[in-house]
Amino acid sequence: MSEAFIPGGPTAAAFLRRHWQKSPLLVRGALADCAGIVQREALLALAERDDLESRLVRREGRRWRVQHGPFSPRDFKRLPRMGWTLLVQGVNHALPAAQKLLERFAFIPYARLDDVMVSYAPPGGGVGPHFDSYDVFLLQGEGRRRWRVSRQRDLDLVADAPLRILRRFRPDREWITRPGDLLYLPPRFAHDGVALDNCITYSVGFRAPGAQELGTRFLEYLQEELRLDGLYEDRGLRPARRPARLDDDMVRRMLSMLRRIRWSDADVVRFLGRYLTEPKSHVVFPRPRRPLSGRAFAAQAAGRGVRLAGPTRMLFRGGTIYINGEAHRPGVPAGERLSRLADRRSLPPARFDRELLDLLYPWYRAGYIEIDDG
């Protein structure tokens, strides 16, 4: 990609070479057209939904309090005038404009993109000095926010705090961001953002699973796929002199059984495709209230095209298509069309062959895809 991925900023290649996981970048007025995606009242309404994660963060002296949603209008009426923050995760699942914002960063593989979190804070609101284990782009919506950042290596946290608050934050740079300004921060870069006005900030986050999580989930996947035959046998067993002792012969026999557990690179790839597209536990796919018949769906798709629903995650590798934790291996023509759907998140109007329709129609009924409304 040779063009700037944001107006006034570096090209995608230059950004990845100079800044990605290396150093912060602030581009003034970079995405002014995205600064008004959501307003305060609309965000409060999203925080009342049970299919989106939301949190209220308040600081009371030296103590921090965190309350998890969904919330009610009464919860917001009880809040003080200053010093609190509302955070709503996965706003791109609910608002197409937020999904479009996420897609502005499609020069980074979708397997790494996570979601758009939106925060609202009156003056003084923030979540304290902290660091993230993943890359993040912070787009300023309405209002102003003061960001202080630090390269510090001391990442010790306040004990027993409900948030990951740094014990000793020593900022070495500071900016005030205004609507449309975009700030990139690499992983483990200490930062603290405080609202100066009624303030909305969009956070574009990225997936960065830890080795422990990845290993644990892979072993769970192997458990589901594992097929081992046979039972433990010990013919020729002799009378035990020490019945509580774990016998050498028993250990050898069981080691032999467990050594039959094997996995290949192909097993790892299949796991990754499913793992990286698996929806989060709270995600709900909005199914059509009055689903079209198969024939009507084919006609509508041919005339209007289809698009992925907001929460849908879709990847491909080789001839295998992964969607929301499922794996499919269609024929070549259908696979090529589906890989384009994964890349572009939509397919233009066209006549779809039977194999493709046999996949698309159940996905439509499950809420994974929608008829494109333009």
Side-chain angles (χ1 to χ4, degrees):
M1 182 181 295
S2 60
E3 297 179 356
F5 76 95
I6 48 175
T11 65
F15 166 78
L16 293 172
R17 185 172 63 253
R18 299 171 188 166
H19 298 281
W20 182 250
Q21 302 204 327
K22 297 184 183 76
S23 63
L25 172 68
L26 174 64
V27 183
R28 297 289 186 185
L31 295 175
D33 58 320
C34 298
I37 287 174
V38 64
Q39 304 300 318
R40 176 184 183 276
E41 294 306 317
L43 188 65
L44 298 187
L46 290 176
E48 297 173 18
R49 292 174 47 162
D50 58 9
D51 60 337
L52 297 176
E53 289 184 307
S54 55
R55 290 172 290 161
L56 267 173
V57 177
R58 283 179 277 180
R59 184 171 187 173
E60 299 171 350
R62 294 186 177 182
R63 300 186 64 183
W64 294 86
R65 291 185 57 192
V66 178
Q67 182 181 353
H68 294 268
F71 299 101
S72 68
R74 182 179 299 178
D75 293 319
F76 299 123
K77 290 179 181 178
R78 294 173 176 171
L79 291 171
R81 295 180 59 187
M82 301 176 65
W84 55 272
T85 297
L86 170 69
L87 305 117
V88 183
Q89 204 85 33
V91 172
N92 54 299
H93 297 171
L95 298 181
Q99 178 62 35
K100 291 295 184 184
L101 170 62
L102 189 66
E103 291 171 19
R104 298 286 287 264
F105 301 90
F107 63 93
I108 296 167
Y110 283 151
R112 287 280 272 121
L113 282 174
D114 192 359
D115 66 1
V116 176
M117 181 181 73
V118 183
S119 67
Y120 170 81
V127 296
H130 66 285
F131 68 93
D132 298 314
S133 58
Y134 50 84
D135 306 85
V136 63
F137 287 92
L138 299 157
L139 170 64
Q140 189 60 36
E142 67 178 53
R144 299 173 300 152
R145 187 179 288 272
R146 174 181 287 113
W147 288 104
R148 297 184 299 158
V149 303
S150 173
R151 292 180 180 271
Q152 67 187 62
R153 295 186 179 182
D154 179 0
L155 299 179
D156 287 346
L157 303 175
V158 174
D160 301 324
L163 297 164
R164 293 168 57 85
I165 305 295
L166 288 165
R167 291 181 60 191
R168 294 173 289 272
F169 178 55
R170 295 181 291 274
D172 52 38
R173 301 178 75 178
E174 180 178 312
W175 298 284
I176 293 176
T177 54
R178 294 173 173 81
D181 291 350
L182 184 69
L183 174 63
Y184 163 74
L185 295 174
R188 301 174 70 82
F189 212 97
H191 55 284
D192 182 26
V194 178
L196 302 180
D197 314 300
N198 292 334
C199 174
I200 286 180
T201 304
Y202 305 90
S203 301
V204 178
F206 294 81
R207 299 188 65 168
Q212 179 68 30
E213 177 193 349
L214 203 60
T216 300
R217 295 295 302 275
F218 179 58
L219 292 177
E220 292 173 356
Y221 169 80
L222 283 182
Q223 181 179 348
E224 295 172 0
E225 301 294 317
L226 192 63
R227 299 292 182 271
L228 295 178
D229 297 324
L231 295 170
Y232 175 79
E233 295 179 345
D234 50 6
R235 296 177 185 177
L237 184 67
R238 298 181 180 181
R241 295 183 178 180
R242 303 291 303 276
R245 180 175 180 270
L246 191 57
D247 184 77
D248 291 344
D249 283 340
M250 174 178 281
V251 170
R252 280 194 293 270
R253 292 172 192 268
M254 290 192 172
L255 280 174
S256 177
M257 296 173 74
L258 293 176
R259 287 189 183 114
R260 290 158 54 194
I261 300 174
R262 296 283 189 273
W263 65 82
S264 65
D265 290 352
D267 293 318
V268 175
V269 170
R270 284 192 293 270
F271 156 72
L272 289 175
R274 292 172 56 176
Y275 167 72
L276 292 171
T277 61
E278 187 176 52
K280 296 178 182 178
S281 59
H282 66 277
V283 169
V284 175
F285 290 92
R287 301 187 180 193
R289 293 182 179 179
R290 296 182 179 179
L292 300 168
S293 67
R295 181 176 295 180
F297 171 79
Q300 293 254 11
R304 297 164 58 186
V306 297
R307 67 183 182 193
L308 298 184
T312 290
R313 298 184 65 88
M314 190 174 186
L315 302 172
F316 67 90
R317 182 178 173 85
T320 305
I321 305 295
Y322 300 96
I323 181 169
N324 295 333
E326 303 172 5
H328 301 271
R329 194 170 179 83
V332 173
E336 290 177 349
R337 301 286 289 279
L338 290 173
S339 65
R340 285 198 292 271
L341 174 61
D343 274 334
R344 302 171 186 173
R345 294 191 65 86
S346 65
L347 283 175
R351 287 183 60 84
F352 298 142
D353 63 32
R354 176 48 53 190
E355 182 184 18
L356 191 54
L357 286 170
D358 286 345
L359 287 168
L360 293 178
Y361 184 60
W363 294 347
Y364 156 74
R365 291 186 64 99
Y368 293 178
I369 67 169
E370 304 166 344
I371 297 294
D372 199 340
D373 59 7

